[in-house]
Amino acid sequence: MRILVGVKRVVDYAVKVRVQNNTVDLSNVKMSLNPFCEIAVEEAVRLKEKKAADEVVAVSVGPKQCTETLRTALAMGCDRAIHIQTDRRTDYVDLQPFAVAHLFQKVVEQEEADLVLLGKQGIDSDCGQTGPMLAGLLGWPQVTFAAKMDLEGDGMMVERETDAGTETIKIPSLPAVVTCDLRLNEPRYATLPNIMKAKKKKVDTIAADDLGVDLEPHNPVLDIFEPPPRKEGITVESVDDLLDKLRNEAKVLK
Amino acid sequence: MLSASARVFVRRAVGTSHGHGSLRSSSSRLFSTASSSAGFDSYDDDSVTLTSLNSMFNPTEEHKALRSMLQTFVEREVEPQALEFNKKEIFNVDLFRKLGDSGMGILGLTVDPEYGGAGMDAAAVCVVHEELSYSDPAFCLSYLAHSLLLVNNLSTNGSHEQKQQFLPDICSGAKIGGMCMSEPNAGTDVLGMKSNAKYDAEKKGFILNGTKMWITNGTLTNDNDGSTGDCFLVYARTGEKKSDVTQFVVEKGMEGFSCGQKINDKLGMRASNTAELVFDNVFIPADTHVVGEVNGATLCMMRNLEIERLGLAAMALGIARRSLDEMKGYAGERSAFGASNLYQFGQVQKHIAESYAEYMAGRCYVYGVANSLDLSTYGNGLDADGTKLYCAQMSKNVADRAIQVMGGYGYVGEYVVERLWRDAKLLEIGGGTNESHHKNMCRDLRRMGRTPLD
């Protein structure tokens, strides 16, 4: 079985982003592997360690620094990597999930993958669309928000997060697309010996423009602005005051 | 609409999600870089003015990856335990073992992979010491004693057979140890040591006697039970001349080898164990446990002292960087005299700006030297001494200013900088006092005579 894992390079989760010139300012900002993609990588590597998978291929779409992000995935245990290079911003402004799904479709077909693992969403644009769109384009079954995953026969049982708890979904047979949620696993550290090994693994670069996919964004982004600063709170005199304000000002009580 | 709010959502989603407490960055930090400075296409690293400095501190992709990996590890595992182990004055041996094969794989950082190491260089040594010290200099000191004073020393000076015999266990973390040079009455005057080893031709070995002082990792337990660390390199007199000193491997359990006392109530570095070790007629097999030539240990010493000093200087960088982060964070949030932050005040500006400039000067000096240091040779003594001399004092001053900026809060353990200030003081003493650096450096400078520096 060959697993393809999506690896997105995003602004690090700890960075407080600023908006400048009507866009998120990426200058001097720390970039990292999207945490949900990291969970997908971990899951794929575990499947390989259990000998359920023969090969794990990490795939990333983005600028040339994406190779660094791919090296992280390689250090965690992926076997090789494919970099679909583009200078478009990947945080929705220039390149949108529909185009990314099409790019992935090409690679999935080319690589004859049996399973595609993706993060449930990128923490920059928070769309959560690439996985479902890719499954649609491929005509494959999909499970989103995976919290637990077990291979079973030719297919797999996947527990997925819902608002009310989890539900278990059976995929009778592969191929399939699964997007990974936070509880699925706890990703490992890339250790020094593995960083050294990762150096020798293969990273293929393909120009996004050469894949015959329409990369133009279909949904124009009209405006980007920072959330308004939170208003200062007030201290109420008594419980009655509080109830009064909740009823008559906030109108959250009847 | 896009990122800022997106991030708020993710944080919340994570907070309410079941199981894990916080969103882990994990190895996602690995290979992560800051993209370019303002004014350039943010995706184009090549046009960045800071590139040359960044590539000085992270000369290769591996250095960058190593630093990212360590930052994740430090944030997740070192930082949360630092305050507690400092308070209790105990060594976190379980965490230490995670630096070995069961985790990071950095105990044999400079060792040839043939013997279980990672085969990295002096710059990597600096990266590790800087990052560990950012959170816990005491823990880092134990790492230094093990990975540089014991592991790197053996790897540089030992024979192939000795490396095969000793290195795999100490690189994996199965055994933890250090090096014994100072004595109760011989510190900076290192060749004034009294410990001695007499050759016994019949038994084909040396009989070692003496007492060694201030030995980091000298004991690994926290209850003063007399047990020693696992493996040490010990310097002792073996001849008449002042420089007739030999280096031996002494292992835990050898008859006559014991821990005199765990040294308590230190000013700083309290989460690193320091002990007095006693050698009472310890028999040392001559064919396996003598490292380098008999009476040739001064060469081993010189070779290893350079990287040790660079490591200590890099620890100072970690202390300074953390102190800067703490003071600038505090200054940005604390309001006073009607101003919303302390950056409005010239006195605070001076503290912060001077600290930053001195930190960067030290950082450039350390990595400048590290990037040109060949671990198998010696002859960089002047600058190895120089980096430590400068950075130790610099880190103490920066930590001091951090306390001053933070006022009462800075004086309290929870706010970290008072601990860093205490730890920084050790760097002016351990691995060479400031005065020994003065002495060594002036010896070298004087030798140059009127030859201009270039």
Side-chain angles (χ1 to χ4, degrees):
Chain A
M1 177 166 76
R2 177 174 292 149
I3 304 178
L4 219 112
V5 196
V7 166
K8 188 173 186 183
R9 178 182 163 88
V10 297
V11 174
D12 187 84
Y13 81 99
V15 171
K16 189 176 181 298
V17 295
R18 290 164 318 201
V19 175
Q20 224 166 35
N21 303 326
N22 207 27
T23 191
V24 171
D25 184 10
L26 293 178
S27 55
N28 275 322
V29 166
K30 181 176 163 60
M31 306 292 283
S32 298
L33 168 56
N34 178 39
F36 295 113
C37 297
E38 197 178 347
I39 292 166
V41 169
E42 175 67 32
E43 198 64 19
V45 171
R46 287 186 191 186
L47 284 171
K48 186 174 177 213
E49 285 168 349
K50 281 187 221 155
K51 309 229 183 288
D54 306 301
E55 192 183 31
V56 178
V57 183
V59 184
S60 188
V61 181
K64 68 172 189 282
Q65 291 90 336
C66 274
T67 53
E68 292 177 0
T69 317
L70 286 168
R71 291 271 172 218
T72 305
L74 293 174
M76 288 175 72
C78 294
D79 297 296
R80 61 187 171 89
I82 297 171
H83 176 201
I84 303 172
Q85 196 176 338
T86 172
D87 286 334
R88 289 169 184 267
R89 285 179 68 122
T90 52
D91 58 355
Y92 203 82
V93 180
D94 299 335
L95 194 68
Q96 297 181 344
F98 193 57
V100 175
H102 271 101
L103 290 170
F104 265 78
Q105 182 194 7
K106 296 280 180 189
V107 179
V108 170
E109 286 168 357
Q110 193 182 308
E111 293 290 326
E112 296 175 341
D114 305 289
L115 176 64
V116 178
L117 293 180
L118 303 172
K120 70 165 176 176
Q121 66 194 51
I123 62 163
D124 47 2
S125 54
D126 276 344
C127 293
Q129 296 167 2
T130 302
M133 283 177 174
L134 174 63
L137 291 170
L138 291 165
W140 288 8
Q142 60 167 308
V143 179
T144 50
F145 310 134
K148 192 167 184 290
M149 208 154 92
D150 291 302
L151 291 169
E152 206 179 88
D154 297 334
M156 57 202 308
M157 297 292 276
V158 185
E159 211 177 298
R160 73 185 288 275
E161 305 272 3
T162 70
D163 286 344
T166 62
E167 60 184 359
T168 306
I169 293 185
K170 179 173 181 170
I171 300 174
S173 67
L174 296 179
V177 175
V178 178
T179 73
C180 303
D181 212 329
L182 194 72
R183 277 209 301 172
L184 184 59
N185 59 47
E186 191 168 340
R188 69 193 65 194
Y189 299 113
T191 63
L192 182 56
N194 289 333
I195 291 172
M196 306 301 269
K197 276 182 214 151
K199 199 164 67 157
K200 299 194 182 93
K201 293 180 180 174
K202 199 167 125 199
V203 180
D204 288 318
T205 304
I206 308 169
D209 294 330
D210 292 350
L211 285 172
V213 170
D214 175 16
L215 300 177
E216 287 307 314
H218 293 269
N219 303 327
V221 175
L222 302 180
D223 197 7
I224 294 175
F225 50 88
E226 292 189 20
R230 188 176 163 274
K231 276 198 197 135
E232 214 172 306
I234 54 159
T235 313
V236 292
E237 296 291 329
S238 64
V239 176
D240 287 341
D241 272 1
L242 176 64
L243 288 173
D244 178 60
K245 290 201 184 301
L246 288 173
R247 251 184 218 119
N248 301 319
E249 278 182 33
K251 298 195 195 306
V252 290
L253 292 180
K254 282 190 180 155
Chain B
M1 184 175 122
L2 198 64
S3 267
S5 58
R7 208 151 310 278
V8 171
F9 168 73
V10 171
R11 283 274 175 76
R12 185 162 49 80
V14 165
T16 54
S17 106
H18 340 249
H20 308 306
S22 67
L23 181 53
R24 301 171 307 274
S25 71
S26 174
S27 47
S28 61
R29 281 192 142 187
L30 188 52
F31 297 105
S32 60
T33 47
S35 46
S36 65
S37 62
F40 293 98
D41 175 357
S42 54
Y43 274 145
D44 189 359
D45 257 358
D46 295 343
S47 61
V48 180
T49 44
L50 282 173
T51 299
S52 55
L53 274 183
N54 278 329
S55 62
M56 184 175 186
F57 307 142
N58 302 295
T60 69
E61 281 278 293
E62 287 77 55
H63 291 93
K64 206 194 274 182
L66 176 67
R67 192 185 292 280
S68 295
M69 167 194 102
L70 282 160
Q71 287 178 346
T72 306
F73 176 73
V74 164
E75 180 186 321
R76 277 207 226 156
E77 309 219 16
V78 181
E79 180 67 21
Q81 55 84 56
L83 179 61
E84 186 199 339
F85 280 78
N86 164 71
K87 254 190 215 162
K88 293 187 178 158
E89 213 175 344
I90 53 176
F91 173 53
N92 191 343
V93 68
D94 294 333
L95 184 63
F96 192 89
R97 290 200 205 276
K98 279 196 185 170
L99 300 177
D101 278 1
S102 62
M104 300 288 96
I106 55 171
L107 289 179
L109 193 63
T110 57
V111 173
D112 193 312
E114 184 188 348
Y115 308 110
M120 291 194 85
D121 56 8
V125 168
C126 293
V127 169
V128 175
H129 285 85
E130 184 187 341
E131 295 305 330
L132 291 179
S133 268
Y134 183 84
S135 263
D136 193 344
F139 183 69
C140 185
L141 188 71
S142 288
Y143 171 76
L144 180 140
H146 181 89
S147 73
L148 293 182
L149 308 191
L150 173 64
V151 175
N152 184 68
N153 192 335
L154 249 178
S155 157
T156 310
N157 297 306
S159 67
H160 172 63
E161 289 73 23
Q162 286 170 331
K163 292 188 212 180
Q164 275 184 323
Q165 183 180 353
F166 299 114
L167 284 177
D169 276 354
I170 53 180
C171 288
S172 74
K175 291 185 175 173
I176 302 172
M179 183 271 288
C180 306
M181 195 184 284
S182 293
E183 297 184 357
N185 293 308
T188 298
D189 179 18
V190 58
L191 293 177
M193 68 172 68
K194 296 279 188 297
S195 294
N196 63 83
K198 296 219 158 47
Y199 187 65
D200 184 327
E202 210 168 288
K203 290 185 181 163
K204 295 209 171 85
F206 288 83
I207 310 295
L208 173 65
N209 278 292
T211 303
K212 292 291 182 182
M213 198 61 176
W214 320 119
I215 309 306
T216 303
N217 300 340
T219 178
L220 303 176
T221 58
N222 298 310
D223 44 10
N224 224 339
D225 59 2
S227 72
T228 68
D230 297 318
C231 183
F232 294 89
L233 286 171
V234 181
Y235 291 96
R237 311 206 60 79
T238 41
E240 294 303 313
K241 289 210 304 287
K242 192 159 179 155
S243 62
D244 283 346
V245 172
T246 305
Q247 186 173 223
F248 302 98
V249 178
V250 176
E251 295 178 274
K252 182 179 185 172
M254 283 182 162
E255 210 179 321
F257 175 40
S258 64
C259 173
Q261 57 170 326
K262 179 188 168 192
I263 296 160
N264 286 314
D265 217 12
K266 290 177 292 182
L267 173 72
M269 299 293 186
R270 291 167 78 97
S272 170
N273 280 359
T274 310
E276 177 187 29
L277 294 179
V278 180
F279 305 86
D280 179 15
N281 286 317
V282 180
F283 175 73
I284 317 273
D287 55 344
T288 52
H289 284 58
V290 174
V291 178
E293 301 291 320
V294 173
N295 293 335
T298 47
L299 179 67
C300 306
M301 232 182 245
M302 280 191 289
R303 274 181 177 160
N304 213 61
L305 272 175
E306 290 176 10
I307 188 66
E308 175 187 358
R309 286 174 179 160
L310 214 49
L312 287 159
M315 283 180 63
L317 297 178
I319 291 176
R321 197 175 92 212
R322 179 60 179 275
S323 300
L324 266 159
D325 279 348
E326 295 298 326
M327 84 171 111
K328 73 181 173 53
Y330 183 91
E333 286 164 9
R334 171 74 187 228
S335 57
F337 297 106
S340 67
N341 63 71
L342 303 184
Y343 279 103
Q344 313 290 325
F345 304 105
Q347 289 158 310
V348 172
Q349 289 169 7
K350 184 167 188 282
H351 284 313
I352 296 175
E354 289 187 349
S355 295
Y356 179 77
E358 288 171 21
Y359 155 70
M360 283 302 280
R363 206 174 189 215
C364 289
Y365 192 8
V366 168
Y367 284 93
V369 174
N371 290 337
S372 59
L373 187 75
D374 178 348
L375 290 176
S376 63
T377 62
Y378 66 98
N380 289 284
L382 178 64
D383 287 314
D385 277 280
T387 50
K388 181 169 167 289
L389 176 68
Y390 178 77
C391 291
Q393 298 180 71
M394 177 275 289
S395 69
K396 195 183 74 177
N397 291 340
V398 173
D400 192 82
R401 294 192 196 109
I403 296 175
Q404 200 63 26
V405 166
M406 295 164 74
Y409 294 99
Y411 200 66
V412 173
E414 197 186 326
Y415 287 78
V416 181
V417 289
E418 66 86 27
R419 171 165 58 87
L420 299 179
W421 182 77
R422 290 186 285 108
D423 290 346
K425 180 64 199 176
L426 185 272
L427 303 178
E428 295 187 337
I429 301 169
T433 54
N434 283 352
E435 293 70 24
S436 72
H437 302 319
H438 297 150
K439 177 169 86 63
N440 296 341
M441 291 172 75
C442 284
R443 178 197 59 211
D444 290 355
L445 290 165
R446 189 178 172 189
R447 263 185 211 149
M448 289 180 194
R450 295 196 73 84
T451 315
L453 296 166
D454 62 10

